[in-house]
Amino acid sequence: QVQLVESGGGLVKPGGSLRLSCAASGFTFSDYYMSWIRQAPGKGLEWVSYISSSSLYTNYADSVKGRFTISRDNAKNSLYLQMNSLRAEDTAVYYCARDRSSGWEFDYWGQGTLVTVSS
Amino acid sequence: QSVLTQPPSASGTPGQRVTISCSGSSSNIGSNTVNWYQQLPGTAPKLLIYSNNQRPSGVPDRFSGSKSGTSASLAISGLQSEDEADYYCAAWDDRLRGVFGGGTKLTVL
């Protein structure tokens, strides 16, 4: 069965860095686009970034452009999000999600990992 | 505020039909397909409707989606207590970004 398991969240000071990981299993990881989506406490969903199946294409929300970097290692079935220059407004649960058709349809989500940016 | 506009709340009694609207623009809903997600309390979102009106396997046919112009809607018929959740519409925006609605909290009275 398809599984996505995020890790790497935690408490970090403003201006700090964090690297999130998402371990995928149960499907051919290299066939799918993947995205990171976040949800601030008590708020709605916000798309963060996507990466194409071969890493050829990436894209970012304006709110994280220049600070976050998405990457993947298809040999390790893993997705990553390097987050630099973190701000308080980056505090959220971060989900990785599989795009079923490269059409921005997220059919599987991980359980999420909480990132808290606070001094 | 969110690029896609949803009512913050909706409610209905068991057995009723409820609809949730999602309003966008020509660069998102007007030119791309709409997806809907259900988020039960304390859990990750779940894909409920894709490509405007398609249901993934396992989603009951009580859930249906439609799109017209720059708006979309989710309908839930035969409302059940387990349908109490947050519902989000989503679409790709031609300005190279993904956009979600602000979410609608559905209460089953």
Side-chain angles (χ1 to χ4, degrees), chain A residues 35 37-38 44-48 97 99 103-107 109, chain B residues 2-6 20-25 27-38 45-54 65-67 69-74 86-94 97-104:
Chain A
S35 275
I37 296 156
R38 68 184 181 183
L45 301 172
E46 180 188 16
W47 169 75
V48 173
D99 188 335
W104 220 68
E105 300 164 355
F106 305 117
D107 61 346
W109 298 61
Chain B
S2 303
V3 174
L4 303 182
T5 301
Q6 297 180 235
I20 297 171
S21 62
C22 175
S23 177
S25 68
S27 65
N28 41 66
I29 294 179
S31 52
N32 296 290
T33 57
V34 177
N35 309 306
W36 289 89
Y37 298 90
Q38 177 194 58
K46 167 190 168 184
L47 181 63
L48 198 62
I49 297 287
Y50 67 93
S51 295
N52 303 327
N53 55 18
Q54 301 300 302
S66 64
K67 182 184 114 170
T70 59
S71 293
S73 63
L74 172 71
D86 294 327
Y87 292 85
Y88 295 90
C89 60
W92 182 251
D93 190 294
D94 288 342
R97 56 180 179 165
V99 290
F100 284 95
T104 299

Coordinates of all heavy atoms in Angstrom, one line a residue, chain A residues 35 37-38 44-48 97 99 103-107 109, chain B residues 2-6 20-25 27-38 45-54 65-67 69-74 86-94 97-104:
Chain A
S35 N 4.7 16.9 -4.2 CA 4.5 18.3 -3.7 C 4.7 18.3 -2.2 O 4.5 17.3 -1.5 CB 3.2 18.9 -4.1 OG 3.1 19.5 -5.4
I37 N 2.9 20.6 0.9 CA 1.8 21.4 1.2 C 1.8 21.6 2.7 O 2.1 20.7 3.4 CB 0.5 20.7 0.7 CG1 0.5 20.6 -0.8 CG2 -0.8 21.5 1.2 CD1 -0.4 19.5 -1.3
R38 N 1.5 22.9 3.1 CA 1.6 23.1 4.6 C 0.3 23.7 5.1 O -0.6 24.1 4.3 CB 2.7 24.1 4.9 CG 2.5 25.5 4.4 CD 3.8 26.3 4.7 NE 3.6 27.7 4.2 CZ 4.6 28.6 4.3 NH1 5.8 28.3 4.9 NH2 4.4 29.8 3.9
G44 N -6.0 27.1 6.8 CA -6.2 26.3 5.7 C -4.9 25.8 5.0 O -3.8 25.9 5.6
L45 N -5.1 25.1 3.9 CA -4.0 24.5 3.2 C -3.3 25.5 2.3 O -3.9 26.4 1.7 CB -4.5 23.3 2.4 CG -5.2 22.2 3.1 CD1 -5.8 21.2 2.1 CD2 -4.2 21.5 4.0
E46 N -2.0 25.4 2.2 CA -1.2 26.3 1.4 C -0.2 25.4 0.6 O 0.7 24.7 1.2 CB -0.4 27.3 2.1 CG 0.4 28.3 1.3 CD 1.3 29.2 2.0 OE1 1.5 29.0 3.3 OE2 1.8 30.2 1.5
W47 N -0.2 25.4 -0.7 CA 0.8 24.7 -1.5 C 2.1 25.4 -1.4 O 2.2 26.7 -1.4 CB 0.3 24.7 -3.0 CG 1.4 24.2 -3.9 CD1 1.9 23.0 -4.1 CD2 2.2 25.1 -4.8 NE1 2.9 23.0 -5.0 CE2 3.1 24.2 -5.4 CE3 2.2 26.4 -5.0 CZ2 4.0 24.7 -6.4 CZ3 3.2 26.9 -6.0 CH2 4.0 26.1 -6.6
V48 N 3.2 24.6 -1.2 CA 4.5 25.2 -1.0 C 5.4 25.0 -2.3 O 6.0 26.0 -2.7 CB 5.2 24.5 0.2 CG1 6.7 24.9 0.3 CG2 4.4 24.8 1.5
A97 N 2.9 15.1 -0.6 CA 1.7 14.5 -1.3 C 2.1 14.1 -2.7 O 2.9 14.7 -3.4 CB 0.6 15.5 -1.4
D99 N 1.2 13.4 -6.6 CA 0.3 13.9 -7.6 C -0.1 12.8 -8.6 O 0.8 12.3 -9.3 CB 1.0 15.1 -8.4 CG 0.1 15.8 -9.3 OD1 -0.9 15.2 -9.8 OD2 0.3 16.9 -9.6
G103 N -1.3 16.5 -12.7 CA -2.3 17.5 -12.9 C -2.8 18.2 -11.6 O -3.9 18.7 -11.6
W104 N -1.9 18.1 -10.7 CA -2.2 18.8 -9.4 C -3.3 18.1 -8.7 O -4.2 18.8 -8.1 CB -2.4 20.3 -9.6 CG -1.7 21.1 -8.5 CD1 -0.4 21.2 -8.3 CD2 -2.4 21.8 -7.5 NE1 -0.2 22.0 -7.2 CE2 -1.4 22.4 -6.7 CE3 -3.7 22.1 -7.2 CZ2 -1.7 23.1 -5.6 CZ3 -4.0 22.9 -6.1 CH2 -3.0 23.4 -5.3
E105 N -3.4 16.8 -8.7 CA -4.4 16.0 -8.0 C -3.7 15.1 -7.0 O -3.0 14.1 -7.3 CB -5.2 15.1 -9.0 CG -5.9 15.9 -10.1 CD -6.3 15.1 -11.2 OE1 -6.0 13.9 -11.3 OE2 -6.9 15.6 -12.1
F106 N -3.8 15.5 -5.7 CA -3.0 14.8 -4.7 C -3.8 13.6 -4.1 O -4.6 13.8 -3.2 CB -2.6 15.8 -3.6 CG -1.8 17.0 -4.2 CD1 -2.4 18.3 -4.1 CD2 -0.6 16.8 -4.8 CE1 -1.7 19.3 -4.6 CE2 0.0 17.9 -5.4 CZ -0.5 19.2 -5.3
D107 N -3.4 12.4 -4.5 CA -4.2 11.3 -4.1 C -3.7 10.6 -2.8 O -4.4 9.8 -2.2 CB -4.4 10.3 -5.2 CG -3.0 9.7 -5.7 OD1 -2.0 10.3 -5.4 OD2 -3.1 8.7 -6.5
W109 N -1.4 11.4 0.8 CA -0.7 12.4 1.7 C 0.0 11.7 2.8 O -0.5 10.6 3.3 CB -1.7 13.4 2.3 CG -2.5 14.2 1.3 CD1 -3.3 13.7 0.3 CD2 -2.6 15.6 1.2 NE1 -3.9 14.8 -0.4 CE2 -3.4 16.0 0.2 CE3 -2.0 16.6 2.0 CZ2 -3.7 17.3 -0.2 CZ3 -2.3 18.0 1.7 CH2 -3.1 18.3 0.6
Chain B
S2 N -7.4 33.7 0.7 CA -7.1 32.7 -0.3 C -7.5 33.2 -1.7 O -8.4 34.0 -1.9 CB -7.9 31.4 0.0 OG -7.6 31.0 1.3
V3 N -6.9 32.6 -2.7 CA -7.2 32.9 -4.1 C -8.5 32.4 -4.5 O -9.3 33.0 -5.3 CB -6.1 32.4 -5.0 CG1 -6.4 32.6 -6.5 CG2 -4.7 33.0 -4.7
L4 N -8.9 31.2 -4.0 CA -10.2 30.6 -4.3 C -11.1 30.9 -3.0 O -10.6 30.7 -1.9 CB -10.1 29.1 -4.5 CG -9.1 28.7 -5.6 CD1 -9.1 27.2 -5.8 CD2 -9.5 29.4 -6.9
T5 N -12.3 31.3 -3.3 CA -13.2 31.8 -2.2 C -14.2 30.7 -1.9 O -15.0 30.3 -2.8 CB -13.9 33.1 -2.6 OG1 -12.9 34.1 -2.9 CG2 -14.8 33.6 -1.5
Q6 N -14.3 30.3 -0.7 CA -15.3 29.4 -0.2 C -16.0 30.0 1.0 O -15.4 30.8 1.7 CB -14.6 28.1 0.3 CG -13.9 27.3 -0.7 CD -13.3 26.0 -0.1 OE1 -12.1 25.8 -0.1 NE2 -14.1 25.2 0.6
I20 N -21.3 23.2 -1.4 CA -20.2 24.1 -1.0 C -19.7 24.7 -2.2 O -19.3 24.0 -3.2 CB -19.1 23.4 -0.2 CG1 -19.7 22.8 1.1 CG2 -18.0 24.3 0.1 CD1 -18.7 21.9 1.8
S21 N -19.6 26.0 -2.3 CA -19.2 26.7 -3.5 C -17.7 27.1 -3.4 O -17.1 27.2 -2.3 CB -20.0 28.0 -3.7 OG -19.8 28.9 -2.6
C22 N -17.1 27.3 -4.6 CA -15.7 27.7 -4.7 C -15.6 28.6 -5.9 O -15.9 28.2 -7.0 CB -14.9 26.5 -4.9 SG -13.1 26.8 -5.2
S23 N -15.2 29.9 -5.6 CA -15.2 30.9 -6.7 C -13.7 31.3 -7.0 O -12.9 31.5 -6.0 CB -16.0 32.1 -6.3 OG -15.9 33.1 -7.2
G24 N -13.4 31.3 -8.2 CA -12.0 31.6 -8.6 C -12.0 32.7 -9.7 O -12.8 33.6 -9.8
S25 N -11.0 32.5 -10.7 CA -10.9 33.4 -11.8 C -10.5 32.7 -13.0 O -10.4 31.5 -13.1 CB -9.8 34.5 -11.4 OG -8.5 33.8 -11.4
S27 N -7.8 32.5 -14.5 CA -6.4 31.9 -14.5 C -6.4 30.6 -13.7 O -5.4 29.9 -13.8 CB -5.4 32.9 -14.0 OG -5.6 33.2 -12.6
N28 N -7.4 30.3 -12.9 CA -7.3 29.1 -12.2 C -8.5 28.2 -12.6 O -8.4 27.4 -13.5 CB -7.2 29.3 -10.7 CG -8.0 30.5 -10.2 OD1 -9.3 30.4 -10.2 ND2 -7.4 31.5 -9.7
I29 N -9.7 28.4 -11.9 CA -10.8 27.5 -12.2 C -11.2 27.7 -13.7 O -11.7 26.7 -14.3 CB -12.0 27.9 -11.3 CG1 -11.6 27.4 -9.8 CG2 -13.3 27.1 -11.7 CD1 -12.7 27.7 -8.8
G30 N -11.1 28.9 -14.2 CA -11.6 29.1 -15.6 C -10.8 28.4 -16.6 O -11.3 28.2 -17.7
S31 N -9.6 28.0 -16.3 CA -8.7 27.3 -17.3 C -8.1 26.0 -16.9 O -7.4 25.4 -17.6 CB -7.6 28.3 -17.8 OG -6.9 28.8 -16.7
N32 N -8.5 25.6 -15.7 CA -7.9 24.3 -15.2 C -9.0 23.6 -14.4 O -10.0 24.1 -14.0 CB -6.7 24.6 -14.3 CG -5.6 25.2 -15.0 OD1 -4.9 24.5 -15.9 ND2 -5.3 26.5 -14.7
T33 N -8.7 22.3 -14.1 CA -9.7 21.5 -13.4 C -9.6 21.7 -11.9 O -8.6 22.2 -11.4 CB -9.5 20.0 -13.7 OG1 -8.1 19.6 -13.3 CG2 -9.7 19.6 -15.1
V34 N -10.7 21.4 -11.3 CA -10.9 21.7 -9.8 C -10.9 20.3 -9.1 O -11.5 19.3 -9.5 CB -12.2 22.4 -9.6 CG1 -12.4 22.6 -8.0 CG2 -12.2 23.8 -10.3
N35 N -10.2 20.3 -8.0 CA -10.2 19.2 -7.1 C -10.7 19.5 -5.7 O -10.6 20.7 -5.3 CB -8.8 18.6 -6.9 CG -8.1 18.4 -8.3 OD1 -8.7 17.7 -9.2 ND2 -7.0 19.0 -8.5
W36 N -11.3 18.6 -5.0 CA -11.8 18.8 -3.7 C -11.2 17.8 -2.7 O -11.0 16.7 -3.0 CB -13.3 18.6 -3.7 CG -14.1 19.7 -4.4 CD1 -14.4 19.7 -5.7 CD2 -14.6 20.9 -3.8 NE1 -15.1 20.9 -6.0 CE2 -15.3 21.6 -4.9 CE3 -14.6 21.4 -2.5 CZ2 -15.9 22.8 -4.7 CZ3 -15.3 22.7 -2.3 CH2 -15.9 23.3 -3.4
Y37 N -10.9 18.3 -1.5 CA -10.3 17.5 -0.5 C -11.2 17.6 0.8 O -11.7 18.7 1.1 CB -8.9 18.0 -0.1 CG -8.0 17.9 -1.3 CD1 -7.8 18.9 -2.2 CD2 -7.2 16.7 -1.6 CE1 -7.0 18.8 -3.4 CE2 -6.4 16.6 -2.7 CZ -6.3 17.6 -3.6 OH -5.5 17.5 -4.7
Q38 N -11.2 16.5 1.5 CA -11.9 16.4 2.8 C -10.9 16.2 3.9 O -10.0 15.3 3.7 CB -12.9 15.2 2.8 CG -13.6 15.0 4.1 CD -14.3 13.6 4.1 OE1 -13.6 12.6 4.0 NE2 -15.6 13.6 4.3
P45 N -5.5 15.7 4.8 CA -6.5 15.8 3.7 C -6.6 14.5 2.9 O -5.6 13.8 2.7 CB -6.1 17.0 2.9 CG -5.2 17.8 3.8 CD -4.5 16.7 4.6
K46 N -7.8 14.3 2.3 CA -8.1 13.2 1.5 C -8.7 13.7 0.2 O -9.6 14.5 0.2 CB -9.0 12.2 2.2 CG -9.6 11.1 1.3 CD -10.8 10.4 2.1 CE -11.6 9.5 1.1 NZ -12.7 8.9 1.8
L47 N -8.2 13.1 -1.0 CA -8.8 13.5 -2.3 C -10.2 13.0 -2.4 O -10.4 11.8 -2.3 CB -7.9 13.0 -3.4 CG -8.3 13.3 -4.8 CD1 -8.3 14.9 -5.1 CD2 -7.5 12.6 -5.8
L48 N -11.1 13.9 -2.6 CA -12.5 13.6 -2.6 C -13.1 13.6 -4.1 O -13.9 12.7 -4.5 CB -13.3 14.6 -1.8 CG -14.7 14.2 -1.3 CD1 -14.7 13.0 -0.4 CD2 -15.3 15.4 -0.5
I49 N -12.7 14.6 -4.8 CA -13.1 14.8 -6.2 C -11.9 15.3 -7.0 O -11.2 16.2 -6.5 CB -14.3 15.8 -6.3 CG1 -15.5 15.4 -5.6 CG2 -14.6 16.2 -7.8 CD1 -16.3 14.2 -6.3
Y50 N -11.7 14.8 -8.2 CA -10.6 15.3 -9.0 C -11.2 15.6 -10.4 O -12.3 15.1 -10.8 CB -9.4 14.4 -9.1 CG -9.7 13.0 -9.8 CD1 -9.4 12.8 -11.1 CD2 -10.2 12.0 -9.0 CE1 -9.7 11.6 -11.7 CE2 -10.4 10.7 -9.6 CZ -10.2 10.6 -11.0 OH -10.4 9.4 -11.6
S51 N -10.5 16.4 -11.2 CA -11.0 16.7 -12.6 C -12.4 17.2 -12.6 O -13.2 16.7 -13.4 CB -10.8 15.5 -13.5 OG -9.4 15.2 -13.7
N52 N -12.7 18.0 -11.7 CA -14.1 18.7 -11.6 C -15.1 17.8 -11.0 O -15.9 18.2 -10.2 CB -14.6 19.2 -12.9 CG -13.6 20.2 -13.6 OD1 -12.9 20.9 -12.9 ND2 -13.5 20.2 -14.9
N53 N -15.2 16.5 -11.5 CA -16.4 15.7 -11.1 C -16.1 14.2 -11.0 O -17.0 13.4 -11.0 CB -17.5 15.9 -12.1 CG -17.1 15.7 -13.5 OD1 -16.0 15.0 -13.8 ND2 -17.8 16.2 -14.5
Q54 N -14.8 13.8 -10.9 CA -14.5 12.4 -10.8 C -14.2 12.0 -9.4 O -13.6 12.8 -8.6 CB -13.2 12.2 -11.7 CG -13.4 12.5 -13.1 CD -14.5 11.7 -13.8 OE1 -14.5 10.5 -13.8 NE2 -15.5 12.4 -14.3
G65 N -19.1 16.6 -7.8 CA -18.5 17.9 -8.1 C -19.0 18.4 -9.4 O -19.3 17.7 -10.3
S66 N -19.0 19.7 -9.6 CA -19.3 20.4 -10.8 C -18.5 21.7 -11.0 O -18.0 22.2 -10.0 CB -20.8 20.6 -10.9 OG -21.2 21.6 -10.0
K67 N -18.4 22.1 -12.2 CA -17.7 23.4 -12.5 C -18.4 24.1 -13.6 O -18.9 23.5 -14.6 CB -16.3 23.1 -12.9 CG -15.4 24.3 -13.2 CD -14.1 23.9 -13.7 CE -13.8 24.4 -15.1 NZ -12.4 24.3 -15.6
G69 N -17.7 27.8 -15.7 CA -17.0 29.1 -15.8 C -15.8 29.2 -14.8 O -14.9 28.3 -14.8
T70 N -15.9 30.2 -13.9 CA -14.8 30.4 -12.9 C -15.3 29.9 -11.5 O -14.7 30.4 -10.5 CB -14.4 31.8 -12.9 OG1 -15.5 32.7 -12.6 CG2 -13.8 32.2 -14.2
S71 N -16.3 29.1 -11.4 CA -16.8 28.6 -10.2 C -17.0 27.1 -10.2 O -17.2 26.5 -11.2 CB -18.2 29.3 -9.8 OG -18.0 30.7 -9.6
A72 N -16.9 26.5 -9.0 CA -17.1 25.1 -8.9 C -18.0 24.9 -7.6 O -18.1 25.8 -6.7 CB -15.8 24.4 -8.8
S73 N -18.5 23.7 -7.5 CA -19.2 23.4 -6.3 C -19.1 21.9 -6.0 O -18.9 21.0 -6.9 CB -20.7 23.8 -6.4 OG -21.3 23.1 -7.4
L74 N -19.2 21.6 -4.7 CA -19.2 20.2 -4.2 C -20.6 20.0 -3.5 O -21.0 20.8 -2.8 CB -18.1 20.1 -3.1 CG -18.1 18.8 -2.3 CD1 -17.7 17.6 -3.2 CD2 -17.2 18.9 -1.1
D86 N -13.6 19.5 7.3 CA -13.3 20.7 6.5 C -13.1 20.3 5.1 O -12.5 19.2 4.8 CB -12.0 21.3 7.0 CG -12.1 21.9 8.4 OD1 -13.2 22.4 8.8 OD2 -11.1 21.8 9.2
Y87 N -13.6 21.1 4.2 CA -13.6 20.8 2.8 C -12.9 21.9 2.0 O -13.1 23.1 2.3 CB -15.0 20.6 2.2 CG -15.7 19.4 2.7 CD1 -16.3 19.4 3.9 CD2 -15.6 18.1 2.0 CE1 -16.9 18.3 4.5 CE2 -16.2 17.0 2.6 CZ -16.8 17.1 3.8 OH -17.4 15.9 4.3
Y88 N -11.9 21.5 1.2 CA -11.1 22.5 0.4 C -11.2 22.3 -1.1 O -11.1 21.1 -1.5 CB -9.6 22.4 0.8 CG -9.3 22.7 2.3 CD1 -9.4 21.7 3.3 CD2 -9.0 24.0 2.6 CE1 -9.1 22.0 4.6 CE2 -8.7 24.3 4.0 CZ -8.7 23.4 4.9 OH -8.5 23.7 6.2
C89 N -11.4 23.3 -1.8 CA -11.3 23.2 -3.3 C -9.8 23.6 -3.6 O -9.2 24.3 -2.8 CB -12.3 24.1 -4.0 SG -12.2 25.9 -3.6
A90 N -9.4 23.2 -4.8 CA -8.0 23.5 -5.2 C -7.9 23.4 -6.7 O -8.7 22.7 -7.4 CB -7.1 22.4 -4.6
A91 N -7.0 24.2 -7.2 CA -6.8 24.2 -8.7 C -5.4 24.8 -9.0 O -4.8 25.4 -8.1 CB -7.9 25.1 -9.4
W92 N -4.9 24.4 -10.2 CA -3.7 25.0 -10.6 C -4.0 26.4 -11.2 O -5.0 26.6 -11.8 CB -3.0 24.2 -11.7 CG -1.7 24.7 -12.1 CD1 -1.4 25.2 -13.3 CD2 -0.5 24.8 -11.3 NE1 -0.1 25.7 -13.3 CE2 0.5 25.4 -12.1 CE3 -0.2 24.4 -10.0 CZ2 1.8 25.6 -11.7 CZ3 1.1 24.6 -9.6 CH2 2.1 25.2 -10.4
D93 N -3.1 27.4 -11.0 CA -3.3 28.7 -11.5 C -2.2 28.9 -12.6 O -1.1 28.5 -12.4 CB -3.1 29.7 -10.4 CG -3.5 31.1 -10.8 OD1 -2.8 31.7 -11.7 OD2 -4.5 31.7 -10.3
D94 N -2.7 29.5 -13.7 CA -1.7 29.6 -14.9 C -0.6 30.6 -14.6 O 0.3 30.7 -15.4 CB -2.5 30.1 -16.1 CG -3.4 29.0 -16.7 OD1 -3.1 27.8 -16.3 OD2 -4.3 29.3 -17.4
R97 N 1.3 28.6 -10.1 CA 1.2 28.3 -8.7 C 0.0 27.5 -8.4 O -1.0 27.5 -9.2 CB 1.1 29.6 -7.9 CG -0.1 30.5 -8.3 CD -0.2 31.8 -7.6 NE -1.3 32.6 -8.0 CZ -1.8 33.6 -7.4 NH1 -1.3 34.0 -6.2 NH2 -2.8 34.3 -7.9
G98 N 0.0 26.7 -7.3 CA -1.2 26.0 -6.9 C -2.0 26.8 -5.9 O -1.4 27.4 -5.1
V99 N -3.3 26.7 -6.0 CA -4.1 27.5 -5.1 C -5.2 26.7 -4.5 O -5.7 25.8 -5.1 CB -4.7 28.7 -5.8 CG1 -3.6 29.8 -6.2 CG2 -5.5 28.3 -7.1
F100 N -5.4 26.9 -3.2 CA -6.5 26.3 -2.4 C -7.5 27.3 -2.0 O -7.2 28.5 -1.9 CB -5.9 25.7 -1.2 CG -5.2 24.4 -1.3 CD1 -3.8 24.4 -1.5 CD2 -5.8 23.2 -1.4 CE1 -3.1 23.2 -1.6 CE2 -5.1 22.0 -1.5 CZ -3.7 22.0 -1.7
G101 N -8.7 26.9 -1.8 CA -9.7 27.7 -1.1 C -9.4 27.8 0.3 O -8.6 27.0 0.9
G102 N -10.1 28.7 1.0 CA -9.8 28.9 2.5 C -10.4 27.8 3.3 O -10.1 27.7 4.5
G103 N -11.2 26.9 2.7 CA -11.8 25.8 3.5 C -13.2 26.1 4.0 O -13.5 27.3 4.3
T104 N -14.0 25.1 4.0 CA -15.4 25.2 4.6 C -15.6 24.2 5.6 O -15.4 23.0 5.4 CB -16.4 25.0 3.4 OG1 -16.3 26.0 2.4 CG2 -17.9 25.1 4.0

